[in-house]
Amino acid sequence: MTSATIIEPTGESDNPMKFTAGLLLGIDLDCEIQNLVDTANVRVRVKYPDQQVHLICPRLSNFRSVTPDETRLLTPINVSHQVSRTLHLLAPLMNN
């Protein structure tokens, strides 16, 4: 069975990562994957605050074989999010 452990980011930072709507934020992902058969099948799942989910396919060059049973993935994950539709709908009401 294939399993993965995220090393970085830990999610325990006192300084949460914030990003501005429409701009990219690069997050360095470091994880260990055990018993990986095919790197082409790996996807990184990113869940946004509004519950949207995106699957990101890391580059094959970002995988490093540590042992025959362990692979390391070191890759930047670029996240971006647009302003929610709710804000667009409320904007005309604020101009009245």
Side-chain angles (χ1 to χ4, degrees), residues 4 8 17 25 27 30 36 48-49 54 63 78 87-88 96:
E8 287 288 331
M17 296 178 189
L25 171 67
I27 300 172
D30 179 2
L36 179 62
Y48 289 92
H54 292 169
F63 291 91
N78 293 319
L87 292 177
H88 287 296
N96 289 341

Side-chain angles (χ1 to χ4, degrees), residues 8 12 16-19 28 33-34 37-40 43 46-47 49 53-54 58 64-66 73-74 81 89-90:
E8 287 288 331
E12 298 176 4
M17 296 178 189
K18 296 181 182 181
F19 57 98
D28 291 325
I33 307 170
Q34 283 72 36
V37 177
D38 186 3
T39 56
R43 301 294 182 268
V46 178
K47 186 174 181 181
V53 175
H54 292 169
R64 305 281 187 267
S65 180
V66 178
L73 173 60
L74 301 165
H81 192 58
L89 294 173
L90 293 177

